[in-house]
Amino acid sequence: MTDQHFSQLFAPHARETLIFTPTPLHRADNLSADLGIELWLKRDDLTGPGVFGGNKMRKLEFLIGEAKAEKKDIVITYGASQSNHAMQTAAACARCGLKCILYLVALVPPNPMAPRGNILLDILFGAEIHLISLEPGETEEDGYQKCYAQAEAQIRRLEAEGHSCLNIPVGGASTVGSMGYAAGYLEMREQLAQMSHPPFDAMYLATGSSGTLAGILAGRAIAGGEESLQAVCAGTKGGIYESAAAELANEVLLRLGQHARVGEKDFTVHREYVGPGYEVPYPA
Ligand SMILES: *Cc1c(COP(=O)(O)O)cnc(C)c1O
């Protein structure tokens, strides 16, 4: 498929322009020399509005596009207390005049008197924040279940009042959101082609909700890319993580009208770098 066709793939889908594009594809000269390889960075930290979690904005282009196309006035999403996705969603909503409601699991309980980092930004972006604390013995997953139950009740109340809500899953990892990374992968291919640079041998990315991974898998399948795909977990993930990511990628392919399909063998997930847990810093 040619680059011309790539851009047409996304034309039928509502999209809100939120990012500076293309993000730089940057050769890290010193690291390349040190490591004896050729190392490039796709600088998606520079997509635009927020400081952290620039990758979320690619997904939000399609998610906010959908919200506006369907005349939603409220966007609801979920994350840990310092979630980049939640903060980027708050930023995108502020930019587009949508009300943003966040349900955040207080994995590391924030200090209400001195909010820091992304929670501080969520407040500045005008989001309505619901902090859900964990009782002793409760897991992160328990926290999310409490979020979903409370959000469901709030959505019912809001819709009874005449509002219309878009409910975005953790990380924006839905079929609509992940289309953003099919587009992101194809953007990178185009940049390489413009430089007459051969395709990469391997591509590494951090993975959390798997929305980015699924989108890249879909994009690679569309382009017939052959680089190995190595996804490094930022949090503890269960055994069905790989199959769920492949399934999400296949939903993206289906939505984009593609026949190609992917499977678990098309990528590798690394679980060995998590440390004590998601959002928990440690010396290394
Ligand atoms: C969210 C996030 C990831 C993981 O992306 P997913 O699409 O959720 O898997 C990686 N790095 C950063 C900085 C993030 O904010």
Side-chain angles (χ1 to χ4, degrees):
M1 197 180 267
T2 62
D3 293 345
Q4 195 63 44
H5 288 107
F6 287 157
S7 47
Q8 284 167 10
L9 270 182
F10 301 96
H13 301 279
R15 186 176 189 172
E16 182 73 19
T17 302
L18 295 172
I19 66 174
F20 305 131
T21 183
T23 56
L25 183 60
H26 171 74
R27 190 181 189 280
D29 291 335
N30 293 335
L31 278 170
S32 292
D34 280 358
L35 297 168
I37 60 171
E38 208 187 323
L39 181 67
W40 292 68
L41 305 172
K42 177 67 169 152
R43 294 294 306 273
D44 271 15
D45 53 317
L46 301 177
T47 49
V51 189
F52 306 113
N55 67 328
K56 303 305 178 307
M57 275 294 165
R58 287 196 187 272
K59 305 186 226 183
L60 284 162
E61 286 207 321
F62 287 98
L63 292 163
I64 298 290
E66 183 185 44
K68 292 184 82 169
E70 295 183 358
K71 307 249 182 297
K72 310 284 189 191
D73 60 340
I74 299 177
V75 170
I76 299 181
T77 198
Y78 312 88
S81 30
Q82 286 293 339
S83 163
N84 288 332
H85 162 68
M87 180 274 286
Q88 294 281 9
T89 303
C93 286
R95 153 83 189 274
C96 296
L98 296 163
K99 181 180 168 70
C100 181
I101 301 178
L102 303 176
Y103 279 87
L104 304 177
V105 178
L107 286 184
V108 179
N111 175 357
M113 303 310 290
R116 293 195 310 171
N118 281 340
I119 289 230
L120 177 57
L121 292 170
D122 297 340
I123 295 167
L124 292 175
F125 289 133
E128 176 185 310
I129 301 169
H130 300 262
L131 266 175
I132 307 301
S133 50
L134 291 180
E135 305 304 324
E138 281 185 337
T139 65
E140 181 180 352
E141 189 45 42
D142 296 331
Y144 282 115
Q145 292 308 325
K146 288 200 278 189
C147 287
Y148 301 144
Q150 291 189 26
E152 213 181 293
Q154 187 180 17
I155 291 171
R156 268 200 305 273
R157 285 196 303 276
L158 289 166
E159 298 203 328
E161 290 166 14
H163 293 287
S164 182
C165 304
L166 180 73
N167 200 10
I168 299 180
V170 173
S174 67
T175 313
V176 170
S178 298
M179 282 198 300
Y181 262 91
Y185 175 88
L186 298 171
E187 176 184 299
M188 183 197 73
R189 291 272 301 199
E190 219 166 290
Q191 287 171 306
L192 278 180
Q194 277 163 9
M195 291 186 277
S196 304
H197 190 284
F200 296 123
D201 299 317
M203 195 173 164
Y204 284 79
L205 69 144
T207 192
S209 70
S210 86
T212 302
L213 170 61
I216 290 174
L217 274 165
R220 189 182 61 166
I222 293 167
E226 290 184 342
E227 61 274 71
S228 93
L229 197 51
Q230 308 288 326
V232 181
C233 284
T236 313
K237 299 295 170 197
I240 62 157
Y241 190 71
E242 281 87 342
S243 59
E247 194 178 318
L248 183 55
N250 286 329
E251 285 169 16
V252 173
L253 287 165
L254 198 64
R255 190 174 176 92
L256 291 171
Q258 298 297 299
H259 296 295
R261 293 291 176 268
V262 304
E264 290 180 48
K265 289 195 179 60
D266 293 318
F267 58 103
T268 305
V269 173
H270 299 268
R271 291 175 164 80
E272 62 271 32
Y273 297 96
V274 174
Y278 181 72
E279 217 175 63
V280 185
Y282 64 112

